[in-house]
Amino acid sequence: LRTEERQRLARERREEREKQHAAKETQILEKERKAKLQYEKQLEERQRKLKEMKQKEEQRRAAVEEKRKQKIEEEKEKYEAVMHRTLERNQRLETRLKRWSWGGSVTPDSESKTALLSTGSKRSTSTANLKQAEGAVSKRLSSSAALLNASDRARRSQLSPLDSSVISRLLAPTQASLARSKSAATLSAD
């Protein structure tokens, strides 16, 4: 009986140890499974965050590119509007100069000055108009004086040098006539 009792107790202890060992293995396997699941979950979360970051970066780049395109388009429109206004101003100025000039045409010199000054302010444009009108008036007065001088040369050759200088002085444009021409040009520019 004693031997059988010992064998039974030994068998029970062995079974108990095996149960404990199996339970420990089960716990270890469960921990490993949970750790694996946790690792996979973290990996998926990291990948999801990376994907979101990439999408946000692409959206930001697209927004920046769109903004840049809009800015370029706005600048292009502004430039075209400025060019259009400049061309209109030039045409109006040429029309005024043609209307107020005696010959009915604008000299190439005044056209180039007009093109250069049209991009400036209105004040500089009106000043340029005065200068152009003054130049045109001076040219016309000097050319008309030259014509008179040419026709009167024959007569003046018969006069004394003193009389000749007095006549040429009288035929030259005076300050008053130049001032009248300037005021006429100013009125036309306004």
Side-chain angles (χ1 to χ4, degrees):
L1 289 171
R2 265 184 159 185
T3 309
E4 286 179 12
E5 187 69 24
R6 281 184 199 156
Q7 285 177 354
R8 187 178 63 76
L9 287 172
R11 192 172 54 241
E12 284 177 2
R13 280 195 298 265
R14 196 171 45 245
E15 286 175 357
E16 188 64 32
R17 275 198 305 265
E18 285 175 358
K19 280 181 185 177
Q20 286 176 355
H21 187 67
K24 280 183 183 178
E25 279 188 11
T26 306
Q27 284 177 352
I28 289 170
L29 287 171
E30 187 64 26
K31 280 182 184 178
E32 285 178 357
R33 189 182 66 79
K34 283 182 179 178
K36 191 177 179 183
L37 283 173
Q38 184 70 21
Y39 175 74
E40 287 174 356
K41 204 173 188 180
Q42 287 175 350
L43 197 64
E44 285 176 5
E45 187 69 21
R46 221 177 277 146
Q47 287 176 347
R48 186 181 62 78
K49 283 183 180 177
L50 281 172
K51 194 175 181 182
E52 284 178 2
M53 283 173 60
K54 279 184 182 178
Q55 285 177 345
K56 283 181 183 176
E57 183 65 23
E58 285 175 5
Q59 287 173 352
R60 189 187 66 78
R61 282 185 188 159
V64 167
E65 184 65 23
E66 185 63 30
K67 204 171 187 179
R68 188 182 68 81
K69 284 180 182 176
Q70 283 179 349
K71 196 172 183 180
I72 289 172
E73 190 63 32
E74 286 172 5
E75 287 176 359
K76 186 179 175 185
E77 287 174 4
K78 283 180 185 176
Y79 176 75
E80 287 175 355
V82 167
M83 290 300 292
H84 185 69
R85 283 196 303 269
T86 303
L87 287 173
E88 283 181 353
R89 236 183 262 142
N90 284 347
Q91 287 174 351
R92 282 198 301 265
L93 187 61
E94 285 176 12
T95 306
R96 282 181 189 165
L97 287 174
K98 283 178 184 176
R99 193 182 317 141
W100 287 97
S101 64
W102 286 295
S105 65
V106 182
T107 60
D109 187 40
S110 66
E111 282 180 3
S112 64
K113 285 182 186 174
T114 303
L116 284 172
L117 292 170
S118 63
T119 56
S121 65
K122 289 183 179 179
R123 186 175 294 158
S124 64
T125 304
S126 62
T127 307
N129 289 347
L130 285 176
K131 287 181 181 175
Q132 289 172 7
E134 181 182 333
V137 167
S138 298
K139 282 179 186 175
R140 295 193 189 286
L141 286 174
S142 62
S143 65
S144 61
L147 286 173
L148 286 171
N149 286 340
S151 64
D152 290 339
R153 264 192 209 125
R155 274 189 264 157
R156 271 196 253 156
S157 62
Q158 299 165 359
L159 297 174
S160 68
L162 179 65
D163 291 338
S164 176
S165 67
V166 168
I167 289 174
S168 64
R169 175 92 172 109
L170 288 172
L171 288 175
T174 63
Q175 293 292 327
S177 66
L178 288 173
R180 280 194 301 275
S181 301
K182 282 183 191 175
S183 66
T186 305
L187 287 173
S188 70
D190 292 341

